[in-house]
Amino acid sequence: MSRIVQFSKAGGPEVLSFIDTAVRAPGPTEVRVRVKAIGINRAESMWRLDDYIEPVKFPAGLGYEAAGVVDAVGSDVEGIAVGDDVNVMPSFSMNDYGTYGEIIVVPEHAIVPHPKSLSYAQAASIWMMFVTAYGALIEDAKVGAGDFVVIPAASSSVGLAAIQLANFAGATTIALTRTADKRQTLLGTGATHVIVTDETDFVGEIERITGGQGARVVFDPVGGPNFAKLISVMSFQGIAFIYGALAQGPTEIPVLKMIAKMQTVKAHNIWLTSGDPARRKAAVEYVLKGLEQGKLKPIIDREFQFDDMVEVHRYLEQNGQFGKIVVNV
């Protein structure tokens, strides 16, 4: 038997419950993992609320990331053996699989090598954050020297990954944060510039930093009323990626201004990269290279225990974390 976390109706953290379930054998292309740590993502609280990119089928499990030890493999699985240390990358529907459990079964394609230099907790934190940012900044926009990259909500795990990846590629990062208490930590994380939006006119400050040329890339998980302002500080043929809706309100797009500067707005999520075998392989190799060179590093805000999963989601929804929340199993 294994404990997993499920919920039978949409709602607050209190709808999460622990269920004892029989450990099943993996199918032909599946891998069973004894979980050591779980990475927690904003997507999972949206899933719990049934307010995510697909409707929930109840009763539902949840969870996209984990690190652990292979417990069993399906008959058609190659290159993965019982006893291997592995990680689970987001690359499946939570209607089909989940990582909130002591022992889980996931598709073979979701398994990635465990970086040797990282603990289980660190490894459980990296794949959603780095691959989401990689897909936009490295794979699509191909940022590099001379590019300015604006990163709102920069203290989130994906925001911090974006700072590191843009730096790794040679671009100049402009991190946005609402309050001054995160300024020094963001600078210490590698942000070239930090703008405190509650204190400063970020439009004017970005224009100053970029010498009036604007930022070629905006990587935004917020949307809402500030999105049009972000577009106004983009360069000619600049590109804005929107990968979240933290503002939870209408997001207006200044169409005529965009036409004048031939700008692009793209909706973005991890699936474009993690759902394609060739792109997924390239992303994993890039992240592993950055980790080996010390250019990319996991940043953990706080660690919890598996029994505290309800409290974990309450903490997640306070929106105060700097980096990733991880649960040890």
Side-chain angles (χ1 to χ4, degrees):
M1 301 294 288
S2 168
R3 285 192 305 159
I4 63 171
V5 176
Q6 278 189 345
F7 60 109
S8 297
K9 62 179 181 179
E14 66 279 357
V15 303
L16 299 177
S17 59
F18 290 92
I19 305 294
D20 289 317
T21 183
V23 176
R24 73 173 179 87
T29 59
E30 295 178 329
V31 176
R32 195 169 70 200
V33 178
R34 189 171 296 275
V35 176
K36 299 294 186 180
I38 302 165
I40 306 298
N41 296 288
R42 174 70 52 186
E44 291 142 22
S45 67
M46 296 174 71
W47 179 253
R48 193 200 67 236
L49 292 164
D50 199 5
D51 192 24
Y52 194 45
I53 56 177
E54 61 177 319
V56 177
K57 298 175 184 178
F58 298 105
L62 68 173
Y64 273 138
E65 289 181 285
V69 181
V70 174
D71 186 63
V73 298
S75 57
D76 295 340
V77 173
E78 297 180 354
I80 303 169
V82 173
D84 285 353
D85 284 335
V86 295
N87 302 165
V88 179
M89 175 195 288
S91 54
F92 47 81
S93 167
M94 286 188 283
N95 276 322
D96 300 323
Y97 298 96
T99 61
Y100 284 21
E102 294 170 327
I103 300 174
I104 61 173
V105 175
V106 295
E108 176 187 10
H109 67 254
I111 295 293
V112 295
H114 179 92
K116 294 181 175 60
S117 62
L118 302 187
S119 67
Y120 289 121
Q122 290 172 320
S125 77
I126 62 173
W127 294 107
M128 175 70 91
M129 61 187 273
F130 281 121
V131 177
T132 300
Y134 166 92
L137 303 184
I138 308 302
E139 185 177 55
D140 192 336
K142 297 178 174 59
V143 301
D147 289 333
F148 290 94
V149 180
V150 175
I151 305 166
S155 60
S156 69
S157 59
V158 178
L160 294 169
I163 292 170
Q164 295 184 56
L165 284 163
N167 288 344
F168 190 23
T172 299
T173 50
I174 304 173
L176 306 188
T177 185
R178 287 178 301 159
T179 57
D181 59 337
K182 294 179 180 177
R183 182 203 302 272
Q184 289 303 317
T185 315
L186 284 166
L187 289 169
T189 303
T192 315
H193 305 275
V194 177
I195 301 174
V196 179
T197 57
D198 284 356
E199 299 178 355
T200 306
D201 170 22
F202 74 83
V203 171
E205 188 65 4
I206 291 172
E207 289 177 346
R208 183 193 67 79
I209 291 168
T210 64
Q213 74 180 58
R216 189 170 79 83
V217 178
V218 168
F219 186 59
D220 181 44
V222 182
N226 279 338
F227 193 67
K229 295 181 181 179
L230 290 168
I231 290 176
S232 75
V233 297
M234 283 167 49
S235 67
F236 178 74
Q237 292 188 323
I239 180 169
F241 297 94
I242 185 161
Y243 68 97
L246 292 176
Q248 298 182 330
T251 298
E252 296 184 1
I253 297 177
V255 175
L256 291 179
K257 292 181 180 179
M258 289 177 59
I259 291 173
K261 295 172 76 173
M262 298 177 65
Q263 296 165 330
T264 301
V265 172
K266 285 190 173 184
H268 177 70
N269 69 39
I270 194 174
W271 308 123
L272 187 66
T273 305
S274 67
D276 178 271
R279 288 174 169 172
R280 183 170 61 242
K281 182 176 183 293
V284 169
E285 289 175 352
Y286 192 93
V287 172
L288 290 175
K289 181 177 72 173
L291 291 167
E292 289 167 3
Q293 294 181 10
K295 302 295 185 181
L296 305 181
K297 298 178 181 179
I299 299 176
I300 294 177
D301 173 82
R302 184 172 171 185
E303 297 184 34
F304 289 82
Q305 297 302 311
F306 189 53
D307 288 342
D308 301 326
M309 194 61 80
V310 172
E311 182 59 31
V312 169
H313 272 236
R314 290 197 179 108
Y315 181 72
L316 173 68
E317 293 182 342
Q318 292 173 9
N319 297 323
Q321 66 267 22
F322 190 96
K324 193 82 167 198
I325 302 167
V326 176
V327 170
N328 293 304
V329 180

